[in-house]
Amino acid sequence: AKAQLPETDAWLETLAGAESNWLRALLITPIVVQHHQYTSNVVRRVLRPRAGQVVKVALKEGRPQSVEIIDAAGHKALDFSVEADGTIRFNMYSAPRGAVCTLELVFRYQAQMPYAPIHEVMEGRNERIKRFYAQVWFENSADGMALISAPGDGVVHDDMGHIVHQAGVEEFCYAIGNVSDRYVASAGGRSTVAPLDYAMKAFWPAMCKCLMTQACDGDLTRLVHVSNSFCVVAGAPQMRAGQRLGSEAQISEVVDGAAGRTVVVAGHVTSDGVPAIEVTTTFLFRNAAADYARNFRHVSEQAMLLEIKDKRTLALVRSKEWLVPAAGAAALIRLGAALRFRLASRYRFKAAGVYAHVVTFGAVHAQAQHGVWAKVADVDYESGAAYGNPVLRFLRRHGRAESATRRLADGGALLGAGQAVAPASGQA
């Protein structure tokens, strides 16, 4: 019973023994050194006493060599051991999918530093944590393992695909508190369509694969989900039972800030290989150390309209070196013309708010006869160190954003009427 369990401090003192050695340092020291900072000792939290567990301590020449803990169900929960050079390998085990998944942490015992004798080995730490999540997140862990060494600068696809089942849609709706009669058959509504945020279920595999890559360099145990956004591609059908969905994703942004490292994963849920829903998911690695050399941002800029209302504006447009007229189309860039800019930008960072490299490219169209938009120019801009993007500054000063946002027919509410109760935990 819980009342019969010893206090954590008393239990760890007993387990550590009186002799000054690696085991006592690991169990008793309240802090661990990570690079040049201190953090709380995770081992003390993990080794708190639990009912029914069995602890085995192996000795070598009368000194502790390794520790193994078996849980109340008879499964190995964790083990750790010391090597001749003072390296401590600490393994924790979990079986969320039935197969055992291993999370390995590595420490080093520094006896000459009595105040902080336990130092975590940070080299390869993020990769070791990623290996654990590759086992947890993917049915075939090799899919995730193979991506840990991948650069992460390309599009990741989910080759398995996802088939929409009505039972799965209803289970998803109940999990998020959406009992709208449009999606849940038991509420008396149609039982064939899925809500927009169901797209995350199909997007999940490709998104998780992105988090495995080198571009996403961070401690996944400190990952916080910030937001999801969805945009339906014009003309795409609504998700329905029986539909086969795929997903493709790419890391579009890694930027360090005061709160940590922001990572944005963007991509599409596809139907029959055709993009149907654009999904953007934002994460935050809490307290990540800034490394601006690894920061980047890929942006699909908002479409801009620029109306050439006077000769001054016309002269300004024609003077821009980054505007390259298309062959035979220069005459369409004239007084009274309306130009539509559809651009993308790629940024690399030198420091906070300072770019090391900026590239902006895209197409410019003008409205020709009969309202048809014809390509009249390309945008081709590249610079080294910069504090901003002169192409976008010019367009914002002389043009305006072309809004492509349309309100949903039902006003945009994702949840039906009534109250929604948040779950007690993040466990499904």
Side-chain angles (χ1 to χ4, degrees):
K2 186 175 181 180
Q4 298 174 327
L5 292 175
E7 292 292 331
T8 299
D9 287 345
W11 163 246
L12 294 178
E13 279 284 352
T14 301
L15 190 58
E19 183 181 347
S20 292
N21 55 33
W22 70 273
L23 181 60
R24 182 169 181 80
L26 185 66
L27 271 55
I28 301 303
T29 307
I31 58 171
V32 168
V33 179
Q34 290 183 337
H35 286 314
H36 302 292
Q37 63 184 12
Y38 299 125
T39 186
S40 61
N41 187 350
V42 65
V43 174
R44 288 177 56 82
R45 297 199 302 273
V46 172
L47 291 181
R48 64 180 176 82
R50 293 174 173 84
Q53 72 180 7
V54 176
V55 180
K56 300 178 181 179
V57 180
L59 303 179
K60 182 178 181 181
E61 299 177 355
R63 296 193 177 109
Q65 178 70 24
S66 64
V67 176
E68 180 179 83
I69 296 183
I70 310 298
D71 64 22
H75 303 132
K76 184 191 288 189
L78 60 90
D79 60 34
F80 53 97
S81 59
V82 68
E83 297 175 358
D85 63 354
T87 299
I88 302 168
R89 299 194 177 275
F90 192 94
N91 299 303
M92 293 175 279
Y93 305 100
S94 177
R97 293 177 173 270
V100 175
C101 306
T102 305
L103 172 60
E104 181 189 39
L105 300 178
V106 181
F107 303 93
R108 185 162 288 117
Y109 174 49
Q110 305 277 15
Q112 71 277 16
M113 302 179 67
Y115 174 72
I118 301 298
H119 293 231
E120 186 164 5
V121 177
M122 303 302 290
E123 183 179 357
R125 181 180 188 272
N126 290 343
E127 288 73 18
R128 290 190 291 273
I129 292 173
K130 283 181 178 180
R131 283 197 289 271
F132 170 72
Y133 280 98
Q135 300 168 68
V136 173
W137 284 347
F138 303 107
E139 208 165 322
N140 181 5
S141 61
D143 291 345
M145 295 286 192
L147 289 164
I148 294 175
S149 58
D153 53 0
V155 177
V156 175
H157 297 269
D158 172 32
D159 299 326
M160 299 293 292
H162 174 82
I163 298 177
V164 181
H165 296 287
Q166 185 55 37
V169 172
E170 293 187 11
E171 182 182 0
F172 176 84
C173 289
Y174 282 122
I176 65 172
N178 184 351
V179 292
S180 169
D181 57 9
R182 297 186 63 193
Y183 314 120
V184 182
S186 56
R190 299 193 304 273
S191 59
T192 58
V193 299
L196 183 59
D197 38 359
Y198 184 82
M200 276 307 300
K201 194 165 185 178
F203 190 64
W204 179 265
M207 179 195 73
C208 289
K209 287 180 179 180
C210 286
L211 297 178
M212 290 287 112
T213 63
Q214 289 184 358
C216 183
D217 183 28
D219 178 357
L220 288 178
T221 66
R222 303 187 68 83
L223 186 69
V224 178
H225 176 250
V226 178
S227 66
N228 294 325
S229 67
F230 307 90
C231 181
V232 179
V233 176
Q238 189 167 9
M239 292 177 290
R240 295 180 177 274
Q243 191 176 18
R244 187 177 188 87
L245 303 175
S247 59
E248 55 186 31
Q250 184 175 22
I251 296 178
S252 63
E253 179 176 324
V254 176
V255 176
D256 292 326
R261 177 167 298 156
T262 298
V263 175
V264 178
V265 179
H268 292 89
V269 171
T270 61
S271 177
D272 297 324
V274 179
I277 300 172
E278 182 181 330
V279 183
T280 303
T281 301
T282 303
F283 298 94
L284 175 71
F285 285 98
R286 293 174 297 154
N287 302 324
D291 184 2
Y292 294 108
R294 299 176 67 97
N295 285 191
F296 65 88
R297 179 181 287 136
H298 295 172
V299 184
S300 295
E301 307 289 358
Q302 187 173 16
M304 301 290 290
L305 282 177
L306 190 156
E307 297 179 19
I308 305 178
K309 297 180 179 180
D310 50 49
K311 292 182 178 180
R312 177 178 175 275
T313 304
L314 178 61
L316 283 172
V317 170
R318 287 178 172 174
S319 71
K320 298 304 176 184
E321 294 182 357
W322 44 259
L323 189 74
V324 184
L332 292 176
I333 305 177
R334 61 180 186 271
L335 197 64
L339 306 181
R340 175 188 285 161
F341 290 75
R342 294 190 180 276
L343 308 176
S345 299
R346 304 288 184 263
Y347 301 94
R348 287 281 176 181
F349 285 76
K350 182 177 182 180
V354 183
Y355 301 124
H357 188 228
V358 180
V359 176
T360 296
F361 57 92
V364 184
H365 294 78
Q367 200 163 19
Q369 294 180 349
H370 310 297
V372 177
W373 289 87
K375 182 178 177 180
V376 297
D378 290 302
V379 170
D380 184 7
Y381 172 79
E382 184 173 0
S383 79
Y387 287 91
N389 188 326
V391 177
L392 299 184
R393 278 202 302 264
F394 175 79
L395 293 177
R396 288 165 185 158
R397 185 181 303 120
H398 298 282
R400 59 182 173 84
E402 181 185 44
S403 175
T405 303
R406 296 180 176 84
R407 293 186 178 275
L408 297 176
D410 59 0
L414 293 179
L415 298 180
Q419 296 181 338
V421 180
S425 74
Q427 304 254 337

Short mmCIF file of all heavy atoms in Angstrom, two decimals, residues 169-179 184 186-187:
data_model
loop_
_atom_site.label_atom_id
_atom_site.label_comp_id
_atom_site.label_asym_id
_atom_site.label_seq_id
_atom_site.Cartn_x
_atom_site.Cartn_y
_atom_site.Cartn_z
N VAL A 169 -13.35 8.01 -36.97
CA VAL A 169 -13.76 9.42 -36.94
C VAL A 169 -14.52 9.71 -35.64
O VAL A 169 -14.27 10.71 -34.97
CB VAL A 169 -14.62 9.76 -38.16
CG1 VAL A 169 -15.23 11.16 -38.03
CG2 VAL A 169 -13.80 9.66 -39.44
N GLU A 170 -15.43 8.83 -35.28
CA GLU A 170 -16.23 9.04 -34.07
C GLU A 170 -15.35 8.96 -32.82
O GLU A 170 -15.51 9.75 -31.88
CB GLU A 170 -17.36 8.02 -34.00
CG GLU A 170 -18.40 8.21 -35.10
CD GLU A 170 -19.61 7.31 -34.93
OE1 GLU A 170 -19.75 6.68 -33.86
OE2 GLU A 170 -20.41 7.23 -35.88
N GLU A 171 -14.40 8.02 -32.82
CA GLU A 171 -13.48 7.92 -31.68
C GLU A 171 -12.66 9.20 -31.54
O GLU A 171 -12.46 9.72 -30.43
CB GLU A 171 -12.56 6.72 -31.88
CG GLU A 171 -11.59 6.49 -30.73
CD GLU A 171 -10.67 5.31 -30.99
OE1 GLU A 171 -10.79 4.68 -32.06
OE2 GLU A 171 -9.82 5.02 -30.12
N PHE A 172 -12.20 9.73 -32.68
CA PHE A 172 -11.44 10.99 -32.67
C PHE A 172 -12.31 12.14 -32.15
O PHE A 172 -11.87 12.95 -31.32
CB PHE A 172 -10.95 11.28 -34.08
CG PHE A 172 -10.24 12.60 -34.24
CD1 PHE A 172 -8.90 12.73 -33.94
CD2 PHE A 172 -10.93 13.73 -34.68
CE1 PHE A 172 -8.24 13.95 -34.09
CE2 PHE A 172 -10.29 14.94 -34.83
CZ PHE A 172 -8.94 15.06 -34.54
N CYS A 173 -13.55 12.22 -32.62
CA CYS A 173 -14.44 13.31 -32.21
C CYS A 173 -14.72 13.26 -30.71
O CYS A 173 -14.72 14.30 -30.03
CB CYS A 173 -15.75 13.24 -32.99
SG CYS A 173 -15.58 13.70 -34.74
N TYR A 174 -14.96 12.07 -30.17
CA TYR A 174 -15.21 11.95 -28.73
C TYR A 174 -13.96 12.33 -27.93
O TYR A 174 -14.05 12.94 -26.86
CB TYR A 174 -15.66 10.53 -28.39
CG TYR A 174 -17.11 10.26 -28.70
CD1 TYR A 174 -17.48 9.22 -29.57
CD2 TYR A 174 -18.12 11.04 -28.15
CE1 TYR A 174 -18.80 8.97 -29.87
CE2 TYR A 174 -19.46 10.79 -28.44
CZ TYR A 174 -19.79 9.77 -29.30
OH TYR A 174 -21.11 9.53 -29.60
N ALA A 175 -12.77 11.99 -28.47
CA ALA A 175 -11.52 12.28 -27.76
C ALA A 175 -11.30 13.78 -27.63
O ALA A 175 -10.76 14.25 -26.62
CB ALA A 175 -10.34 11.62 -28.46
N ILE A 176 -11.71 14.57 -28.64
CA ILE A 176 -11.50 16.02 -28.60
C ILE A 176 -12.75 16.77 -28.15
O ILE A 176 -12.75 18.00 -28.10
CB ILE A 176 -11.03 16.55 -29.97
CG1 ILE A 176 -12.12 16.38 -31.03
CG2 ILE A 176 -9.74 15.88 -30.40
CD1 ILE A 176 -11.80 17.06 -32.34
N GLY A 177 -13.82 16.04 -27.82
CA GLY A 177 -15.04 16.68 -27.33
C GLY A 177 -15.92 17.26 -28.42
O GLY A 177 -16.75 18.14 -28.16
N ASN A 178 -15.78 16.79 -29.65
CA ASN A 178 -16.60 17.28 -30.76
C ASN A 178 -17.74 16.29 -31.00
O ASN A 178 -17.54 15.22 -31.57
CB ASN A 178 -15.74 17.42 -32.01
CG ASN A 178 -16.51 18.00 -33.19
OD1 ASN A 178 -17.72 18.16 -33.14
ND2 ASN A 178 -15.79 18.33 -34.25
N VAL A 179 -18.94 16.64 -30.56
CA VAL A 179 -20.09 15.74 -30.72
C VAL A 179 -21.08 16.34 -31.72
O VAL A 179 -22.28 16.09 -31.64
CB VAL A 179 -20.78 15.48 -29.37
CG1 VAL A 179 -19.89 14.65 -28.47
CG2 VAL A 179 -21.18 16.78 -28.68
N VAL A 184 -20.78 12.61 -35.92
CA VAL A 184 -20.99 11.48 -35.01
C VAL A 184 -22.36 10.88 -35.26
O VAL A 184 -23.39 11.52 -35.01
CB VAL A 184 -20.86 11.93 -33.54
CG1 VAL A 184 -21.03 10.75 -32.61
CG2 VAL A 184 -19.50 12.59 -33.31
N SER A 186 -23.95 8.51 -33.73
CA SER A 186 -24.76 8.27 -32.55
C SER A 186 -25.46 9.53 -32.06
O SER A 186 -26.34 9.49 -31.24
CB SER A 186 -23.89 7.71 -31.42
OG SER A 186 -22.81 8.58 -31.14
N ALA A 187 -25.03 10.71 -32.58
CA ALA A 187 -25.70 11.96 -32.22
C ALA A 187 -26.83 12.27 -33.19
O ALA A 187 -27.44 13.32 -33.12
CB ALA A 187 -24.70 13.11 -32.21
#
